[in-house]
């Protein structure tokens, strides 16, 4: 036997995803196509979210280092007003409330501290919500994709049994191809869901760590502004 027939025989003994897709029922094809698109978008989101978290962390590190070394916080905020840095927006919210308190005719120090803390906490929560928003898609795909794939599998198996009834032939050679094509839908559903679940859990932890880091910055800023109020 020559090498070419051996290779052909080996290839024919393995599943061919393209042939499984082309041989499947139209409903199963639609399910598989939708799941493949979802999987592609999942990987796009995984890369984009990872890059965004890393970039924001580096920007915050640079900003906070400069912030605590600055002699004039307000001058630094004026320079960084258009900067896309979560720490800068948190600081802007707190210092805005601080300026309003100092500009009041009668300074209520305790009330000012509470309002500054509320402004800072609200800004931190807004930044965390903005960062976590893309995770909703990962959570949706992770929870829904297996069931969508299962729907395609159930439909494909129903179609296989229907063909058995039509052909009056229940041999394995008749049933197996349709069942294989149907099970392929479940496999694609898991292919889309598994990385989505892993990425969701990993990035949820990352967002939580980032929120805690912003909260520590906000607490330190609140203490600093409170001391400024005591000096007035």
């Amino acid at each position: 036997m020559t090498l070419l027939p051996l290779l052909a025989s080996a290839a024919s003994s393995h599943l061919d995803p393209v042939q499984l897709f082309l041989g499947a029922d139209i409903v199963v094809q639609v399910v598989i196509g939708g799941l493949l698109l979802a999987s592609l978008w999942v990987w796009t989101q995984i890369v984009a979210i990872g890059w965004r978290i890393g970039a924001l962390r580096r920007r915050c590190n640079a900003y906070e280092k400069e912030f605590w070394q600055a002699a004039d916080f307000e001058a630094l905020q004026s320079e960084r007003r258009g900067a896309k840095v979560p720490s800068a927006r948190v600081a802007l919210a707190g210092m805005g409330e601080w300026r309003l308190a100092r500009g009041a005719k009668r300074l209520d120090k305790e009330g000012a501290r509470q309002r500054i803390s509320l402004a800072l906490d609200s800004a931190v929560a807004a930044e965390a919500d903005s960062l976590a928003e893309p995770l909703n898609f990962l959570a949706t795909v992770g929870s829904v994709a297996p069931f969508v794939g299962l729907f395609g599998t159930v439909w494909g198996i129903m179609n296989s049994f229907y063909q058995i009834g039509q052909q009056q032939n229940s041999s394995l050679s008749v049933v197996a191809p349709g069942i294989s094509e149907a099970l392929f839908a479940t496999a694609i559903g898991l292919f889309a869901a598994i990385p989505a679940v892993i990425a969701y859990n990993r990035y949820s932890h990352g967002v939580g760590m980032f929120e805690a880091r912003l909260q520590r910055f906000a607490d330190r800023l609140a203490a600093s502004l409170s001391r400024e109020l005591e000096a007035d």
Side-chain angles (χ1 to χ4, degrees), residues 114-200:
Q114 293 179 4
R115 289 191 295 272
I116 289 171
S117 295
L118 286 173
L120 289 169
D121 291 344
S122 178
V124 169
E127 294 297 330
D129 289 344
S130 175
L131 192 58
E133 186 176 357
L135 298 183
N136 291 333
F137 177 77
L138 297 180
T140 300
V141 172
S143 60
V144 173
F147 293 101
V148 175
L150 183 61
F151 167 76
T153 296
V154 171
W155 183 274
I157 292 175
M158 287 170 56
N159 186 58
S160 295
F161 279 110
Y162 177 77
Q163 295 300 324
I164 290 174
Q166 289 294 102
Q167 299 179 23
Q168 300 295 318
N169 187 348
S170 61
S171 66
L172 192 60
S173 60
V174 174
V175 179
I179 294 178
S180 297
E181 294 156 5
L183 291 174
F184 185 52
T186 296
I188 297 298
L190 295 175
F191 177 76
I194 290 172
V197 171
I198 294 174
Y200 175 79

Side-chain angles (χ1 to χ4, degrees), residues 43-53 203:
W43 283 105
T44 301
Q45 289 295 305
I46 288 173
V47 173
I49 295 171
W51 180 86
R52 185 185 180 196
I53 291 177
Y203 288 147

Side-chain angles (χ1 to χ4, degrees), residues 4 6 20 55 81 112 135 142 145 155 197 213:
L4 189 60
L6 281 173
L20 287 175
R81 189 172 294 276
L135 298 183
W155 183 274
V197 171
R213 177 241 177 86

Side-chain angles (χ1 to χ4, degrees), residues 42-152:
V42 162
W43 283 105
T44 301
Q45 289 295 305
I46 288 173
V47 173
I49 295 171
W51 180 86
R52 185 185 180 196
I53 291 177
L56 290 178
R57 186 179 292 117
R58 289 190 296 271
R59 292 176 190 170
C60 286
N61 285 336
Y63 174 82
E64 290 175 24
K65 182 178 180 180
E66 185 179 2
F67 183 85
W68 295 120
Q69 292 176 350
D72 187 346
F73 290 166
E74 294 193 67
L76 177 62
Q77 284 299 98
S78 298
E79 294 174 6
R80 294 298 193 95
R81 189 172 294 276
K84 296 181 179 180
V85 183
S87 295
R89 290 191 285 264
V90 170
L92 184 62
M95 294 185 68
E97 189 60 42
W98 175 72
R99 282 193 295 269
L100 290 174
R102 293 188 68 185
K105 293 181 179 180
R106 183 176 179 274
L107 178 59
D108 179 6
K109 294 181 180 180
E110 186 59 33
R113 290 192 192 95
Q114 293 179 4
R115 289 191 295 272
I116 289 171
S117 295
L118 286 173
L120 289 169
D121 291 344
S122 178
V124 169
E127 294 297 330
D129 289 344
S130 175
L131 192 58
E133 186 176 357
L135 298 183
N136 291 333
F137 177 77
L138 297 180
T140 300
V141 172
S143 60
V144 173
F147 293 101
V148 175
L150 183 61
F151 167 76

